[in-house]
Amino acid sequence: MARANDEVEALLREYADLIAITGGDAFKARAYEKAARAVGGYPADVSTLDEDGLREIPNVGRSIADKVAEYLRTGKMAVVEERRARIPAGVRELITIPTLGPKKALRLYEDLHISSVNELAAAIESDALADLKGFGEKTQDNIRHGIELLQQAGARVPLPLALDTAEEIIAALSGVAGCRRCAYAGSLRRMRETVGDLDVLVAAARSGPFMEALCELPGTAEVIARGTKKTSVRTGKGLQVDLRVLPPKSWGAGLQYFTGSKAHNIRTRTIAVHRGLKLSEYGVFDSESGESVASRTEEEVYARLGLPWIEPTLREDRGEIEAALRGELPEVVTERDVRGDLHTHTDLTDGLASLEAMVEAAAGRGYAYYAVTDHAPDLYMQRMTDEKILAQRARLRELDGRHRRMRLLHGTELNIGPEGEVDWPDEFLAGFDLCVASLHSHFDLGRAAMTRRLVRACENPYVSVLGHPTTRLIGRRPGVDADWDEVFAVCARTGTALEVNAQPDRLDLCDEDILRARAHGVRFAVNTDAHSVPHLAQLRYGIGTAQRGWLTPDEVINTWPLTRLRRFLRKGGR
């Protein structure tokens, strides 16, 4: 279920942006950014807290707590409404462009009267920004790319929003009398990184009660179309939901058809034709007699086509049909296979929960082992020191094995510098159980320099995992430019695992990069990069991405027993 935390987080982030746009105090804007992040990652639902409870959230003082309480009580935050009124809507539209900050957006509006994304794109193409200070060729290229990212994202929404919405709808419709089955399909079932329209299926003899129930749900803001076979609505957060009610006997065929992808379905229909059959959302039929020969389950439908059941995350026509025909479909990794998380943070650096709270939550997930990897000192804003990290190690050793016998690994997330250097000398790194190394800055290096930088980091004998390798943020920042085949080959040679970062705005590596890296024989780690207790549950998004990349448990190091994992982390026996 969606939590009020997400709404409050978004509102506080907006307020921080509005402060920056109007030339407010940078420290105040930063305070609201920190509070937003803290609220989003807080374990308890903020709607259940009084003002004293709100002030217990890290980075939420009395003033911010009062504003949150106001929003929870009235649905509005007066200071946000006031700031919105002072800023033209066009400027607020401009700051949705990745790479374009609030100050530049305001400058474009005031100096050139640009108040929309389309106007800005046209201004760049006509060279109208050439004489505007601070908008040189490189800045314009960045803005142009940001506009492309925004346009590519379009009306698509992130996985968590789509999944939360789907699960709420399914819970509601499953309680309607006559419901035999209810599930989501489409790109969400295939775990695409963003979702356009949400497809929900119900198996029932009568469709009317379900169409009515969808239209009356609290989250439904608009009824787009209502019929007996299909009803479409739009939620308050802008997501279109298409509900289809199928005869129970057609459930399997309908689920297969509406899961897609389009390319996968073309292949299955072609196979059906070659077998003298016709495949539709209602079943598999004999072309001559019209008799239904399969429809109740997906397994039946695929079997009638001479195929094993194919995992939804593989249904993209990227070789899954051929692999199925050869009997070579992979048994892809699942959440149940994961024995531990190898990239997480605590409040020692930029996490929101204590070491003890994170360890307890990890144990509650049934993990056999768990790694804490707080940031190293080269990210200066984290203020890490040798003394702090060693004190954390001592405390972690005290906790080791206390929670359901879960073993604890002490690690760190190193910062990869411009030349590929990392924090701390080798003799200090030797004391860690594992080191994740990640890019956090200098994203605009040229291709050759970026490749050398990554290669050098992977060749470091103490770097076990390359964290969020491309650094992309979905819809906001592209991945860095590097010769990834060279990087993947070096990872395979040096025994450096590539991370599949489960944060839903990262999902880095993406599925296509995973497929490329697999060909080099690389190992992977599916990690949450959790900065709070709720983030640990985001593993599901990383697993979905890993499945889309065809990863098996044997290719994912954090599915291995601890003894095997430790051998890998020693990286060549060091």
Side-chain angles (χ1 to χ4, degrees), residues 16 19-34 103:
I19 292 171
I21 293 172
T22 53
D25 186 341
F27 290 103
K28 183 177 181 180
R30 179 64 177 152
Y32 277 90
E33 288 175 2
K34 287 183 175 180
K103 291 182 179 178

Side-chain angles (χ1 to χ4, degrees), residues 485-519:
D485 284 305
E486 181 177 345
V487 175
F488 297 156
V490 169
C491 286
R493 173 173 59 80
T494 60
T496 307
L498 287 164
E499 182 173 71
V500 180
N501 189 293
Q503 286 192 18
D505 62 344
R506 289 189 184 275
L507 299 181
D508 182 16
L509 290 173
C510 71
D511 54 350
E512 293 178 352
D513 286 336
I514 294 169
L515 288 166
R516 285 173 60 191
R518 284 183 79 237

Side-chain angles (χ1 to χ4, degrees), residues 276-346:
L277 302 169
K278 180 182 177 181
L279 174 63
S280 75
E281 64 265 43
Y282 296 106
V284 184
F285 301 90
D286 184 278
S287 294
E288 292 187 5
S289 67
E291 177 188 0
S292 174
V293 296
S295 63
R296 290 191 175 274
T297 68
E298 282 193 316
E299 288 81 1
E300 277 184 20
V301 170
Y302 279 108
R304 195 63 184 81
L305 301 177
L307 297 167
W309 180 78
I310 299 175
E311 187 78 42
T313 45
L314 300 180
R315 300 180 196 177
E316 298 288 353
D317 191 26
R318 295 195 289 208
E320 73 276 8
I321 298 291
E322 292 79 3
L325 290 170
R326 295 193 305 267
E328 296 176 359
L329 270 179
E331 291 286 338
V332 290
V333 65
T334 69
E335 275 197 82
R336 292 186 302 275
D337 296 317
V338 174
R339 297 174 186 244
D341 200 330
L342 301 181
H343 182 180
T344 68
H345 298 271
T346 75

Side-chain angles (χ1 to χ4, degrees), residues 83 126 225 364 445 466:
R83 292 263 179 173
S126 64
L445 293 182
L466 184 60

Side-chain angles (χ1 to χ4, degrees), residues 210 346 357 423-424:
F210 301 93
T346 75
D423 326 60
W424 284 314

Side-chain angles (χ1 to χ4, degrees), residues 359 362-363 367-370 400-408:
V359 168
Y367 287 151
Y369 47 80
Y370 176 71
D400 188 21
R402 288 190 184 180
H403 292 274
R404 305 184 187 185
R405 302 180 68 181
M406 182 179 71
R407 302 306 307 273
L408 298 178

Side-chain angles (χ1 to χ4, degrees), residues 166 170 174 179 181-185 189 199-203 243-244 251 255:
I170 288 168
S174 295
C179 179
R181 301 287 295 274
C182 186
Y184 55 81
R189 190 172 181 231
D199 295 292
V200 176
L201 306 181
V202 166
L243 170 64
R244 294 173 175 85
W251 175 256
L255 188 59

